[in-house]
Amino acid sequence: MNIIDYADRDMLAIHLAQLIAGQLETVLFNHEHASLAVPGGTTPGPIFDALCAATLDWSRVCVIPTDERWVPEDDARSNARLIRSRLLTSRAAKATLVPFHRGGVEPEAALADIAERLAPCLPLSVLLLGMGEDMHTASIFAGAPGSAEALAADAGPVAVVRPETQPETRVTLTAPVLDGALSKHLVIFGASKRAALERALTLPPEDAPVQAVLTDMTVHWAE
Ligand SMILES: O=C(O)[C@H](O)[C@@H](O)[C@H](O)[C@H](O)COP(=O)(O)O
């Protein structure tokens, strides 16, 4: 794991977007398709705003949520909604989103279909993750029902997690899929998340899920 400290969040967003665009372009030189997994939450928006204008063949890129709140896409809490509005616009509008949520279906019943649609996009070419102050990443929350399954070495590509601290059930990419990405970025803002990451390094993944995906991870941090 290496950490890049930035002077401010704007510098971070521009530089990280350029890095991700360059990595996707390199994959597209050598492969027919590339895949990019991105988080929800409040952190990635400015990165999406810079990345969506990148000049690359977005028609050959599939974009995958690292996790999804189990709500319809018109819900303000939907990650698919955030990704469509902030990333799949401008030049990146040509990319293909692999959404997770399906109406009228319990998340457990949707896993097989999600896994089937994800299969052509794996292993992930580029991964962008966020992290909570509780050291969760994607929707793998320490101690939550389903998190042990999401952390298991033999986990499938997606798992259902039901965190008590969150208003809705989650579907998340699992640790093996996240950790297996070819290029990995973790973006965190603020001193408390920096301290949480330092703390995570001293804990096992079941207590600090972000610990499960830090191999060859580049951490991007700004105050
Ligand atoms: O669905 C989500 O919310 C994200 O995928 C989640 O893992 C997020 O990255 C962290 O919770 C940090 O959230 P903030 O960026 O809002 O601090």
Side-chain angles (χ1 to χ4, degrees), residues 19-33:
L19 266 182
I20 290 172
Q23 289 168 343
L24 288 172
E25 231 176 350
T26 301
V27 173
L28 292 172
F29 278 139
N30 302 300
H31 302 279
E32 183 54 31
H33 294 100

Side-chain angles (χ1 to χ4, degrees), residues 69 71-79 81:
R69 297 84 178 270
V71 293
E73 207 167 300
D74 60 2
D75 187 304
R77 296 265 304 159
S78 163
N79 286 343
R81 172 193 170 106

Side-chain angles (χ1 to χ4, degrees), residues 1-6 12 131-133 135 186-201 210 219-223:
M1 178 186 91
N2 71 300
I3 302 180
I4 305 175
D5 294 350
Y6 294 82
L12 183 154
M131 187 193 78
E133 292 187 18
M135 300 173 285
L186 173 67
V187 53
I188 52 175
F189 291 155
S192 52
K193 283 193 181 182
R194 181 68 178 259
L197 179 64
E198 301 297 337
R199 197 162 62 250
L201 299 177
V210 71
V219 179
H220 305 263
W221 179 81
E223 182 64 52

Side-chain angles (χ1 to χ4, degrees), residues 31-222:
H31 302 279
E32 183 54 31
H33 294 100
S35 54
L36 168 64
V38 293
T42 59
T43 301
I47 300 160
F48 293 166
D49 294 342
L51 180 56
C52 67
T55 304
L56 56 96
D57 188 353
W58 286 100
S59 68
R60 294 192 287 136
V61 178
C62 67
V63 175
I64 303 158
T66 57
D67 57 315
E68 183 59 276
R69 297 84 178 270
W70 203 249
V71 293
E73 207 167 300
D74 60 2
D75 187 304
R77 296 265 304 159
S78 163
N79 286 343
R81 172 193 170 106
L82 169 72
I83 296 166
R84 282 198 203 279
S85 64
R86 297 287 290 273
L87 179 55
L88 300 194
T89 183
S90 180
R91 293 188 178 94
K94 291 182 179 173
T96 301
L97 177 68
V98 180
F100 290 0
H101 181 267
R102 213 168 72 205
V105 176
E106 282 303 304
E108 286 82 356
L111 292 184
D113 169 61
I114 296 168
E116 187 178 339
R117 289 185 288 114
L118 276 177
C121 309
L122 300 181
L124 296 173
S125 307
V126 182
L127 170 67
L128 176 64
L129 277 172
M131 187 193 78
E133 292 187 18
D134 61 0
M135 300 173 285
H136 83 266
T137 193
S139 280
I140 310 176
F141 289 77
S147 281
E149 289 78 359
L151 287 169
D154 61 353
V158 280
V160 176
V161 178
R162 297 178 183 275
E164 290 168 0
T165 58
Q166 302 299 313
E168 63 282 298
T169 298
R170 304 289 188 96
V171 170
T172 186
L173 294 181
T174 57
V177 167
L178 297 168
D179 201 37
L182 304 178
S183 300
K184 299 158 65 178
H185 303 279
L186 173 67
V187 53
I188 52 175
F189 291 155
S192 52
K193 283 193 181 182
R194 181 68 178 259
L197 179 64
E198 301 297 337
R199 197 162 62 250
L201 299 177
T202 67
L203 297 170
E206 53 269 28
D207 298 332
V210 71
Q211 171 76 289
V213 296
L214 293 179
T215 312
D216 300 327
M217 177 68 79
T218 300
V219 179
H220 305 263
W221 179 81

